[in-house]
Amino acid sequence: TLDAVLDQTSDLPIIVMTGLNDRDFGVEAVRRGAQDFLVKGEFDGELLARTIRYAIERKKNERQLAARTEELEILTRILHHDIRNDMNIARGTIRMGMADVDSEATESFETALSNVEHAIEITETVEPLLESITGDGSLETEPVELDRMLDEELRKLVSSYPDVTVEAPEPTDATVSANHMLSSVFGNLLNNAVQHNDGDPTVAVRTTVDERERLARVTVAADGPGVSEDQAEGVVD
């Protein structure tokens, strides 16, 4: 009966009323699409009214989540197709240009090429990331050389902000389980440290590896204004 009702409507909140010996069915009904369940003989008018209100709010939240997911899927398609196609064209143009420049300009072209390739890698990672967030799938990872990724992001930082002073970490030879999104995490941390500094910024990066815990920790410190207490509550550790 529940399946038949769900086949007919996805907009109405559903509350299932079960028998005294059917609690497991009530839980299963919620898993399959109902908003809540009640057990016969174990509720009064107040509990019924509260359950109905909660069911309505849960359905409303589900609709909002579904709409947001659809918006994210559209954005992902734009990233995955339109932006990636433009980046592929830019990559080809830079490679052709590198053949006609002198050695002094080659480094600038290599930096531009590296940034474009990184943007392409992100567009390839966004789709499985969205599937992991909105579905039951897990995000795929691979072995990544931590030192190489940090060195690359620090090189980009210095190229974009020549006035920055960088204290680079000591090599660790650590390999971590990650994907291309990790470089975006490091890039955002480093760029934020510089962009919110009105003086001559200094950024210090430290890495420590705990072999016993199989854990690598990366710390980024800067001499900028810092993060206010109210903002710090929303920072993901």
Side-chain angles (χ1 to χ4, degrees), residues 149-181:
M149 184 171 285
L150 280 172
D151 289 345
E152 180 69 15
E153 293 306 314
L154 287 171
R155 186 181 65 79
K156 292 178 184 177
L157 182 72
V158 173
S159 176
S160 300
Y161 304 97
D163 295 333
V164 66
T165 299
V166 172
E167 297 178 12
E170 295 292 330
T172 63
D173 294 326
T175 299
V176 298
S177 178
N179 55 40
H180 299 305
M181 296 302 293

Side-chain angles (χ1 to χ4, degrees), residues 1-236:
T1 301
L2 174 63
D3 290 338
V5 173
L6 290 172
D7 286 340
Q8 295 299 316
T9 177
S10 59
D11 295 329
L12 295 178
I14 298 173
I15 301 171
V16 173
M17 186 164 63
T18 74
L20 290 173
N21 298 321
D22 290 333
R23 291 178 183 274
D24 291 341
F25 175 77
V27 174
E28 177 67 11
V30 172
R31 191 188 68 80
R32 295 173 69 166
Q35 274 61 60
D36 209 336
F37 74 95
L38 292 168
V39 178
K40 293 178 181 178
E42 293 191 1
F43 65 91
D44 54 16
E46 182 180 351
L47 178 57
L48 175 61
R50 184 166 66 246
T51 301
I52 292 174
R53 287 196 301 270
Y54 288 172
I56 292 173
E57 287 303 314
R58 290 191 188 102
K59 175 54 69 172
K60 186 186 300 183
N61 291 336
E62 284 181 13
R63 293 195 202 102
Q64 293 174 348
L65 179 60
R68 182 58 58 85
T69 300
E70 184 177 359
E71 294 170 357
L72 288 173
E73 289 173 347
I74 294 172
L75 177 60
T76 299
R77 285 196 293 271
I78 294 173
L79 282 171
H80 195 62
H81 297 289
D82 300 357
I83 294 180
R84 186 173 64 175
N85 288 340
D86 289 345
M87 289 294 99
N88 280 326
I89 294 172
R91 178 170 59 181
T93 303
I94 292 173
R95 286 175 174 172
M96 288 189 295
M98 291 177 67
D100 299 325
V101 300
D102 55 36
S103 57
E104 294 183 358
T106 299
E107 184 176 352
S108 297
F109 272 84
E110 289 177 345
T111 299
L113 180 61
S114 175
N115 290 336
V116 168
E117 289 179 338
H118 181 235
I120 293 173
E121 291 172 353
I122 290 177
T123 63
E124 294 172 347
T125 309
V126 165
E127 189 168 13
L129 176 62
L130 177 61
E131 292 177 356
S132 175
I133 293 173
T134 60
D136 297 328
S138 58
L139 192 63
E140 292 185 2
T141 60
E142 61 185 6
V144 174
E145 296 178 11
L146 182 61
D147 294 343
R148 180 188 60 79
M149 184 171 285
L150 280 172
D151 289 345
E152 180 69 15
E153 293 306 314
L154 287 171
R155 186 181 65 79
K156 292 178 184 177
L157 182 72
V158 173
S159 176
S160 300
Y161 304 97
D163 295 333
V164 66
T165 299
V166 172
E167 297 178 12
E170 295 292 330
T172 63
D173 294 326
T175 299
V176 298
S177 178
N179 55 40
H180 299 305
M181 296 302 293
L182 181 59
S183 61
S184 296
V185 173
F186 292 148
N188 276 287
L189 281 171
L190 295 170
N191 282 304
N192 285 337
V194 175
Q195 291 170 356
H196 298 286
N197 193 324
D198 296 330
D200 294 328
T202 298
V203 178
V205 182
R206 298 288 182 268
T207 56
T208 57
V209 177
D210 189 326
E211 296 288 353
R212 185 175 61 85
E213 297 290 338
R214 298 175 59 83
L215 176 69
R217 183 180 299 276
V218 179
T219 303
V220 178
D223 58 352
V227 180
S228 62
E229 292 184 6
D230 57 333
Q231 291 176 321
E233 295 180 357
V235 175
V236 178

